[in-house]
Amino acid sequence: MGYKTTELAKLTGVNKETLRYYEKIGILPAPPRTASGYRLYPEETVKRIKFVRKAQELGFTLQEVDRLLGVVDQDERRCKDMYTFTSVKLDEIERKINDLKKMKSILEELKNCCHDNDDLYDCPIIDRLEN
């Protein structure tokens, strides 16, 4: 059994153009076609698209997803230098976590300045951000 592009798009929540783009850049292998020329995606494509979407939700770029799929596909070319890739990505995540912690701290501090103050023209948060 397989899925035509429209069926796969509906099933995965990805639009048809995205599916074609994924195929164009190699994230999805080119599916076989019916006699009338329709793409017929195999069942495992659903799982692959869900992997791609989840990875993107976690902050991976499509290029990074392609590298990760190299591990899934056991593709030596795309797996090359995976240690360096994961090390760099971990450093990037650590920086983002530190930045988010700083932002949280600043927002908590600003929130505490503004308990129940309803005076829009005398806002300690705005005063603090301006200084």
Side-chain angles (χ1 to χ4, degrees):
M1 177 176 170
Y3 301 101
K4 289 182 179 175
T5 304
T6 304
E7 296 167 330
L8 184 63
K10 189 177 287 187
L11 185 64
T12 60
V14 173
N15 68 47
K16 296 184 298 185
E17 291 75 25
T18 300
L19 293 174
R20 290 186 189 111
Y21 179 69
Y22 286 174
E23 183 183 334
K24 179 182 175 183
I25 65 172
I27 296 255
L28 290 180
R33 293 185 180 249
T34 64
S36 54
Y38 291 104
R39 289 172 173 87
L40 199 58
Y41 293 94
E43 180 70 34
E44 60 268 10
T45 306
V46 174
K47 185 177 176 182
R48 190 174 187 95
I49 292 170
K50 288 180 179 180
F51 175 87
V52 171
R53 292 191 64 189
K54 185 63 175 178
Q56 285 185 295
E57 285 174 19
L58 293 172
F60 288 96
T61 66
L62 283 177
Q63 185 178 16
E64 292 168 336
V65 170
D66 186 53
R67 297 273 309 267
L68 293 171
L69 285 169
V71 175
V72 173
D73 297 340
Q74 298 179 355
D75 179 344
E76 189 176 317
R77 178 187 61 82
R78 289 188 297 168
C79 287
K80 189 177 181 195
D81 301 323
M82 189 55 71
Y83 178 83
T84 303
F85 166 72
T86 55
S87 297
V88 169
K89 192 65 179 175
L90 281 170
D91 289 344
E92 178 184 317
I93 290 168
E94 283 296 327
R95 280 192 301 277
K96 286 181 181 180
I97 288 170
N98 288 333
D99 288 345
L100 287 170
K101 285 180 180 177
K102 289 177 190 173
M103 288 174 60
K104 180 182 179 206
S105 175
I106 290 168
L107 289 172
E108 285 173 342
E109 185 181 329
L110 291 173
K111 180 182 168 192
N112 290 334
C113 292
C114 201
H115 299 287
D116 293 323
N117 189 348
D118 291 333
D119 187 359
L120 293 176
Y121 299 104
D122 187 28
C123 178
I125 294 175
I126 293 173
D127 292 342
R128 180 74 190 269
L129 290 173
E130 287 178 339
N131 294 324

